[in-house]
Amino acid sequence: MALQWMILTYVVAAEAVIALLLTLPSPKAIKSTIVSFVSLILQPALFIVPFASFQLLDIYWKKEHRLMCTSEICTASERDRFEKSIYKAQRNVILCAAAILLYWSVYRICKYYKEIQSLEAVEKRFKEQ
């Protein structure tokens, strides 16, 4: 069960690095190369959105069907295990939300950069005329 969370963790880390690379100031040639490379990666990386969404649904389902340990019948170890599972679920929700948000951010950054390039090309054509 932990493999999916490790995969999601690595994907979030990679998305964070890509977002950082896209937002760092760099020369125009390097920036356009990075944006074109990331744009090629974005479509196959779209799998992360349904994957993270499915994991969110799984967390919700497990929350709804989790045994509650709130009465005095529960032992201390059962209460600790219950609290630990709640904390892990909260961490995993944050991880899923970060994966989706970072993917969207990288997508929008690339799209804005491409729009800026096209507007610069139009401006250059108007200046030449």
Side-chain angles (χ1 to χ4, degrees):
M1 289 300 285
L3 180 62
Q4 66 222 26
W5 300 113
M6 287 299 292
I7 291 170
L8 201 58
T9 303
Y10 288 138
V11 167
V12 167
E15 287 177 341
V17 168
I18 289 171
L20 184 67
L21 281 175
L22 288 173
T23 55
L24 285 176
S26 58
K28 202 171 204 174
I30 294 173
K31 183 71 123 186
S32 63
T33 305
I34 291 172
V35 168
S36 64
F37 178 68
V38 170
S39 295
L40 290 173
I41 293 174
L42 277 177
Q43 190 170 1
L46 184 63
F47 81 92
I48 197 61
V49 174
F51 182 73
S53 301
F54 176 75
Q55 295 303 322
L56 284 172
L57 288 173
D58 186 47
I59 291 169
Y60 176 74
W61 185 86
K62 286 178 182 176
K63 178 191 169 293
E64 290 296 318
H65 295 88
R66 182 180 290 132
L67 295 174
M68 294 296 192
C69 190
T70 56
S71 64
E72 295 179 14
I73 299 172
C74 296
T75 64
S77 65
E78 288 174 339
R79 199 170 298 115
D80 289 342
R81 189 172 70 230
F82 174 75
E83 288 177 4
K84 184 180 177 183
S85 70
I86 294 293
Y87 292 139
K88 284 174 67 177
Q90 290 171 348
R91 177 199 64 201
N92 292 339
V93 165
I94 292 170
L95 190 63
C96 290
I100 293 170
L101 183 66
L102 279 170
Y103 180 85
W104 178 80
S105 298
V106 168
Y107 171 78
R108 294 306 297 179
I109 290 168
C110 285
K111 186 173 180 178
Y112 287 147
Y113 188 77
K114 287 181 179 181
E115 288 176 5
I116 289 170
Q117 282 180 332
S118 67
L119 289 174
E120 286 175 351
V122 169
E123 182 183 17
K124 186 177 180 182
R125 275 185 279 159
F126 279 134
K127 284 184 179 180
E128 289 175 357
Q129 292 177 357

